[in-house]
Structure formats: structure tokens, C-alpha cells
Amino acid sequence: MTSLLIDGIGSLVTNDPALGSGPLGVVPDAALVVEDGRVTWAGPRSRVPQGAARERFDAAGRAVLPGFVDSHAHLVFAGDRAAEFAARMAGRPYSAGGIRTTVEATRAASDDTLRAGVRRLVAEALCSGTTTVECKSGYGLTVPDEARCLRVAGEHTEEVTFLGAHVVPPEYAGRPDDYVDLVCGPMLDACAPHARWIDVFCDRGAFDGDQTRAILAAGRERGLVPRVHAGQLQAGPGVAVAVELGAASADHLTHLTAADVDALASGGTVATLLPGAEFSTRSPYPDARRLLDAGATVALAADCNPGSSYTTSMPFCIALAVREMRMTPDEAVWAATMGGARALRRTDVGRLSPGARADVVLLDAPSHVHLAYRPGVPLVAAVWRAGVPAAGAEPPSR
């Protein structure tokens, strides 16, 4: 049994309103007790239980919050699309067609190359405070390539998503229904054992509502839980299909109808917003305020991918959400932690209250508000994952 007291916390975000003020459950002048990888106590430092831990870490008045939960990422890929990004910045509009460039590079890459890329990105995300990350396939688009991408993803996270329905690959051009049959049959048979989730890009240039419904239904028959890429390029059927099939999340949501907003507010599907994609494609940002005011559950995720959002930084996404999507700093931090946990249907992460996994982020700042207040500044001073120092934490005192 290992035990750690993180003491001298200037401001502790617990995400438990029973422990502190507001929806974030903020406790000033706080402490946190961790035993065997779990939070066992959180509250004012003046009330720390006697003999609570064998080791002590002094936060020196800095802020502590839960590790970020990034519920949407495409980390298994090869190649680079910097030229495409430069062209967009020069005025070329974004389309889903660039995905095929990454498919070609990924198919040609070795398992070791793919593995090294995922390892690099997961480590990069950890250094900016991400302790839970979802990872999709979707750049193989053949039965063996999708299966190997999922196996590589599974080496780095338990939150693995099968996205064989990312786009129709070139060899199926003009035959999208034949590709849907492949995804629903042999591809799912090979891939379902390696995934927890199934996702479909339901949008212009990808898959329509009927195709999306068929693919998600086939995935559910094999025990996978649906997620949907919806409304990135235009309003469409993605949100309605997601809510109808009980999807854990509908992601992107740049373009929404009033009916979409009502459906997300009244159903159990989390609205996951990906502001890094809008930043990198010069698209309009989602209207988070509209969703929040309607009562929808909102998550933020980085959408790390080589084409439309090549970032692993959740602090960057928080700053964008506050500046461009009309979220308050509290709402954005909740969405990047507890919101992501809700999108992954996890109760053990996204919070720092008793029973939670001790995924802890220490900021070199007195408050979580500084994540939006000081954009671009590397404020993450230390990270613990399941109570174990994972980035930046100096040895504790005994």
C-alpha cells in the first residue's frame, strides 16, 4: 500500500459540489490524500486526518485539478499533412478528402512506426495533463490494417474505438454500400475483439444516416457502444442517429439544428466539442453556450489527428472554448475533465473525490482559471496517474 498527502494546495478542483463551492467543488487551502492509486480524502488542509499518508508533497499554494479526459483522438497514423494545413491557411477550404492521404501513409507504415507515433503523442498529452485518452482507428480502412491499428491503440489505452467508417477508401470509390457491407461484416468480425467503442463519420463526403445506422447497429450486435462524428461540415442526420441509438457521444457539432440541440439536451448522448478542429480549419466554432443553456452535457476533447487538429493539448482547447465558444473557465474545465469522463461513461476519472482514480494535475498557477487566462503557457507543473508520478513531480518528502 502506497500513500501520499498532497498538501498546501491553493485551490483544489474536485468536481464534487458536495466537497466545495460551485459545480467544480472548489476547495481553497486544500489537501488531498491518495492511497494505492485512489483518492481517499479531499478537503481543507486544516482537517486532514492524522497519519493520513506516509509521504507528503507540498503544492506550495498552487492549483490542483483532475487529469484531463480526452474522449476523442486519432493517434494511430503515419505521415504528415503540414502542406495541407498551409494550403488551408492560404484559403483552401477543408474537406474530408485529406483523410485518404493519411490512409495511404498508414497502410505503408510498419507496426513499430505506428507504435512509436502513438507512444510519442500519449507522452506529449500526459505532459499537458491528459491522463485518460480515447484512441480511434480509421486510417487503415482494410480488414488487416484496421485490426492492427486497434491492437496498437490498445497498447496505450483501454478506451479504443473502431472507426472503420471514417471515409470510403479509394478502392471502393463509387461503391460505398459495398464498403459498408465490408465494415459491417468481415471488418467488424476482426476488429470488435480489440475495441470498446464503434464510431462513424456521418457527414458530407463520408457516410449518410442510413449507412451510419446500419454500421452502428452491427457494432452493437458485437458488443460495441456507439459514438458518432456529427455535424462537422454541415448539419445532417448524425445527431438524430446518435441519440436514437443511445450513443455515448456525438462529436464535433459545428453545425446544429434546433432539433439537434433539443435531442442532445433531452437524451443521454454527450455533446463533445473539438475546438482544435475549428482552429485548424478556419471553420466557425460550435456554439457551446447554446448547448449548455439548453441543458446538454458538454465535453471538450483535443481531436488529435494529422489533418484537422494536430494538437494533444487540452489546456489549449480550454482556452479556445472560453475565448471562442462562450464557455466560462469553470464550464470549460468541467467539460475537459468530468465531461470527458461522461463521454466515456467512466465514473472513476474526471474527479478528485473519494474513490476516484488519483489522476492529479498540479498547475504552476494559483487557480484553474489561468488555463484560459494564460493561453499557450505551459502551466502543468506535475502529473500523477493513479497516484504515481507521471510527469514533472519532484520526489515527495517523508
Side-chain angles (χ1 to χ4, degrees):
M1 177 79 71
T2 58
S3 58
L4 172 67
L5 168 65
I6 303 178
D7 200 2
I9 300 170
S11 175
L12 172 64
V13 173
T14 67
N15 280 338
D16 185 344
L19 295 178
S21 63
L24 294 185
V26 176
V27 182
D29 195 19
L32 190 71
V33 178
V34 175
E35 293 185 3
D36 201 25
R38 297 275 170 176
V39 175
T40 58
W41 186 89
R45 65 183 304 203
S46 60
R47 300 180 190 171
V48 175
Q50 288 294 321
R54 285 179 235 152
E55 299 182 334
R56 177 180 177 273
F57 181 94
D58 184 2
R62 293 173 288 181
V64 164
L65 66 156
F68 300 122
V69 181
D70 186 351
S71 61
H72 185 123
H74 306 252
L75 305 182
V76 188
F77 64 85
D80 179 273
R81 284 160 62 186
E84 178 187 321
F85 172 80
R88 282 200 305 275
M89 296 305 103
R92 182 184 302 171
Y94 174 73
S95 73
I99 292 169
R100 295 180 180 88
T101 302
T102 303
V103 169
E104 182 179 354
T106 302
R107 288 177 177 179
S110 68
D111 287 6
D112 285 345
T113 296
L114 297 179
R115 187 174 291 115
V118 178
R119 187 183 305 116
R120 174 180 62 84
L121 293 170
V122 168
E124 182 180 281
L126 184 66
C127 288
S128 64
T130 297
T131 51
T132 302
V133 64
E134 180 260 13
C135 185
K136 305 177 190 295
S137 65
Y139 291 125
L141 307 188
T142 67
V143 172
D145 283 309
E146 282 295 295
R148 76 184 180 115
C149 287
L150 291 170
R151 287 194 297 270
V152 169
E155 295 172 6
H156 299 86
T157 180
E158 62 270 42
E159 302 297 346
V160 177
T161 300
F162 167 59
L163 183 58
H166 202 178
V167 292
V168 176
E171 61 270 26
Y172 281 87
R175 299 185 295 128
D177 289 339
D178 289 344
Y179 183 66
V180 170
D181 289 343
L182 177 72
V183 172
C184 290
M187 193 177 284
L188 257 172
D189 290 339
C191 291
H194 306 293
R196 180 184 179 197
W197 309 96
I198 181 168
D199 199 343
V200 177
F201 188 5
C202 182
D203 213 323
R204 183 182 72 231
F207 298 90
D208 65 25
D210 289 340
Q211 293 166 337
T212 298
R213 189 177 286 104
I215 293 165
L216 295 179
R220 287 205 308 184
E221 290 174 0
R222 291 164 173 84
L224 303 183
V225 181
R227 323 183 71 80
V228 181
H229 283 58
Q232 179 183 9
L233 305 177
Q234 63 183 26
V239 169
V241 173
V243 174
E244 171 195 331
L245 296 183
S249 69
D251 301 23
H252 282 292
L253 310 182
T254 311
H255 304 278
L256 292 176
T257 65
D260 290 335
V261 175
D262 290 343
L264 290 165
S266 60
T269 298
V270 173
T272 300
L273 308 182
L274 313 172
E278 279 70 45
F279 178 88
S280 295
T281 61
R282 282 193 172 153
S283 299
Y285 285 89
D287 190 347
R289 184 83 268 134
R290 182 184 182 196
L291 288 162
L292 289 163
D293 290 348
T297 299
V298 173
L300 288 175
D303 188 23
C304 181
N305 74 84
S308 61
S309 183
Y310 201 5
T311 181
T312 56
S313 175
M314 291 292 277
F316 173 64
C317 293
I318 288 170
L320 286 179
V322 172
R323 175 63 180 83
E324 302 290 350
M325 289 162 44
R326 300 199 294 156
M327 298 180 82
T328 68
D330 283 11
E331 289 168 340
V333 167
W334 191 96
T337 52
M338 186 66 88
R342 295 272 180 89
L344 294 176
R345 296 185 174 172
R346 295 280 294 270
T347 59
D348 61 328
V349 297
R351 62 186 176 93
L352 289 176
S353 54
R357 193 172 76 185
D359 293 350
V360 182
V361 171
L362 173 71
L363 297 183
D364 192 11
S367 164
H368 63 278
V369 175
H370 282 236
L371 289 165
Y373 177 46
R374 303 196 68 208
V377 178
L379 294 179
V380 174
V383 181
W384 292 260
R385 192 173 188 277
V388 177
E394 60 263 29
S397 58
R398 294 183 180 274

